[in-house]
Amino acid sequence: MLHFRGIACAKTLINTVCHVRNFRLSVPVLNSVNLKGRDLLTLRDFNSDEIKQLLWTAADLKHRIKENEEVLSLLKGKSLAMIFQKRSTRTRLSTETGFALLGGHPCFLSPEDIHLGVNESIKDTARVLSSMTDVILARVYSQSDLDQLAKDASVPVISGLSDMYHPIQILADYLTLQEHFGKLRGLTLSWIGDGNNVLNSFLMSAAKLGMHLKIATPKGYEPDTSVMKLAHQYSKEFETKLVLSDDPMEAAKGANVLITDTWVSMGQEEEKKERLKAFSGYQITMQTGKVAAPDWVFLHCLPRKQEEVDDEVFYSDHSLVFPEAENRKWTIMAAMVSVLTEYSPLLKKPTF
């Protein structure tokens, strides 16, 4: 479900010319895409132009703040409520430091601070937080809790992760690939691992950006059937390839990007022994890379276990995992700026 909060207004045009990596600074064109007031719960709710807008904004902020060392107090006077039912390194650090870097005040709420839906109903929590903060980021176990929070909040809600989706991770992955390849359209992504929330987010967005997706999961660990059904519709609409099998080498064949994730997510610890057995043969190694495209790269959202990918790949020149981790910061900053302001990037919009 889409939620809208805020009113669009005209963008400011600024005349600057510069070159940076695969992006070029120029006069921004007045853009009809305005995300102010929107929730970011899943990329299913965002069309291709809106996803591109988020990536464009992330690249712009990264250049202006990191490379130009500009001070951009775009969120001065704004406050952020960070609800974390699940522990995190990258999500917490990227959100907390990113919001502060933009002049805002983040407030971290651990399970000890707030028992979402336990001591107080989600509805009441949403109303209280909406009265005191300007935006909410929630990292929760259940997507239904996130949806309920967004329904009852009067401020934008951003997903920091749920059992179904992890949209801000995927935005970081796309920014990383854009920086490396200079484009996204035409790339073939190979997912080798569990049919989890990260894969679901790829399925809800890759085709919209013109990327092909080849998936290998063990039998019984396939992606959610409703997600796959919609992904096939996207694949048909955007004329991309979507393949699901249980053969890792087949999925890797000709791929530009090899991707995996944890085989045992938080809350699945009791299944660890069974899962490790089911995923035998799914480790990404240089042998996997031999059947991929010559320019293949590797992504992993971290933290990583060695059974998922060996050290030779993880620490090789093929691996983009650490730029990928850093880009969590720039993409979450872009999301927060986009839902709270009518900021217009200075970078000329890339050809995705």
Side-chain angles (χ1 to χ4, degrees), residues 46-53 207-209 238 349 352:
F46 286 71
N47 63 35
S48 57
D49 287 339
E50 292 166 341
I51 296 172
K52 291 172 184 176
Q53 180 77 14
K208 295 175 184 178
L209 299 176
F238 295 98
K349 189 174 183 179
F352 289 97

Side-chain angles (χ1 to χ4, degrees), residues 20 26 105 149 159 187 197 231 238 250 282 289 296 342:
V20 51
S26 184
H105 179 79
L149 189 66
S159 170
L187 294 179
N197 51 2
F238 295 98
E250 181 59 34
Y282 276 73
W296 70 274
E342 291 164 346

Side-chain angles (χ1 to χ4, degrees), residues 1-204:
M1 180 182 294
L2 289 176
H3 300 276
F4 297 85
R5 302 183 181 93
I7 303 173
C9 74
K11 308 286 195 302
T12 301
L13 300 181
I14 302 177
N15 189 358
T16 310
V17 179
C18 183
H19 289 273
V20 51
R21 292 183 184 174
N22 293 306
F23 303 89
R24 186 164 63 86
L25 278 174
S26 184
V27 180
V29 178
L30 191 64
N31 200 300
S32 60
V33 177
N34 189 302
L35 301 176
K36 186 177 180 181
R38 287 277 295 275
D39 295 319
L40 175 51
L41 308 181
T42 165
L43 294 177
R44 178 191 63 196
D45 296 337
F46 286 71
N47 63 35
S48 57
D49 287 339
E50 292 166 341
I51 296 172
K52 291 172 184 176
Q53 180 77 14
L54 289 167
L55 296 174
W56 180 17
T57 302
D60 176 87
L61 294 175
K62 185 175 183 178
H63 172 69
R64 295 188 66 187
I65 296 172
K66 182 180 180 180
E67 300 183 27
N68 278 5
E69 299 183 347
E70 295 182 52
V71 176
L72 299 180
S73 300
L74 301 174
L75 301 181
K76 184 178 180 179
K78 303 290 186 183
S79 56
L80 162 71
M82 300 169 57
I83 300 173
F84 276 58
Q85 289 183 334
K86 288 187 171 186
R87 66 184 182 274
S88 169
T89 299
R90 281 148 294 278
T91 301
R92 178 177 179 179
L93 200 59
S94 61
T95 304
E96 203 162 339
T97 61
F99 201 80
L101 189 59
L102 292 165
H105 179 79
C107 182
F108 179 77
L109 300 169
S110 73
E112 285 70 39
D113 301 309
I114 181 171
H115 291 178
L116 194 64
V118 178
N119 291 340
E120 184 174 44
S121 71
I122 294 176
K123 182 176 183 177
D124 291 355
T125 296
R127 291 185 175 186
V128 170
L129 295 182
S130 295
S131 72
M132 298 183 183
T133 65
D134 300 282
V135 60
I136 300 167
L137 180 134
R139 183 177 173 91
V140 299
Y141 283 97
S142 173
Q143 179 70 25
S144 61
D145 286 350
L146 196 63
D147 293 338
Q148 184 67 46
L149 189 66
K151 179 182 177 181
D152 292 309
S154 59
V155 298
V157 175
I158 298 174
S159 170
L161 172 144
S162 75
D163 58 343
M164 278 295 289
Y165 301 110
H166 198 357
I168 58 176
Q169 175 62 55
I170 302 309
L171 292 174
D173 292 357
Y174 291 159
L175 179 62
T176 305
L177 296 177
Q178 174 74 39
E179 290 175 338
H180 182 81
F181 288 104
K183 65 171 187 174
L184 296 177
R185 177 169 296 277
L187 294 179
T188 296
L189 312 182
S190 172
W191 176 274
I192 300 172
D194 191 19
N196 64 11
N197 51 2
V198 178
L199 175 56
N200 287 344
S201 292
F202 275 119
L203 287 164
M204 292 297 93

